Amino acid sequence: MSEKTTTECGVIHDLLPLYADGVCGAESRALVEEHLKMCAECAGMLEQMRDAEAERSGAEKAEIGALRKIKRRLILKTLAVAAASVVGAVALTLALCV
């Protein structure tokens, strides 16, 4: 294992909220987990985040859940628009070629 650096900790600090919420990608999750094995400071930050999450009120948790649903819907709508754009472009291209 390599010795931790300030840059590594900075990257992990950026990833910790995503990691704590369970929304980071597999590579990021593996990177964070490997770093946490070596770095007590970053592991402590994660523990503080989890403690703060446990202390949140029901209203705060409901609001966060609602915002996550909105985010998912926006992502799905964006993907639908992108897919429709591709289909439209292909149809237009085929129509012009015929």
Side-chain angles (χ1 to χ4, degrees):
M1 281 188 225
S2 65
E3 190 174 312
K4 74 172 185 143
T5 65
T6 304
T7 302
E8 287 174 1
C9 288
V11 171
I12 299 303
H13 291 179
D14 291 343
L15 291 173
L16 277 179
L18 298 172
Y19 178 81
D21 288 343
V23 295
C24 64
E27 279 185 37
S28 296
R29 184 176 46 254
L31 178 70
V32 170
E33 289 172 352
E34 187 64 30
H35 182 83
L36 292 175
K37 291 177 188 175
M38 300 181 302
C39 182
E41 180 183 338
C42 291
M45 285 185 69
L46 176 62
E47 191 63 33
Q48 288 176 353
M49 286 179 187
R50 289 183 172 160
D51 289 346
E53 174 68 25
E55 292 174 4
R56 285 193 177 133
S57 70
E60 287 175 322
K61 289 180 182 178
E63 184 178 330
I64 290 169
L67 290 173
R68 285 185 180 147
K69 284 181 185 179
I70 291 169
K71 181 180 177 184
R72 274 187 291 246
R73 286 183 192 148
L74 287 173
I75 289 170
L76 290 175
K77 285 181 181 182
T78 301
L79 290 173
V81 168
S85 297
V86 168
V87 169
V90 169
L92 182 61
T93 301
L94 290 175
L96 292 175
C97 290
V98 175

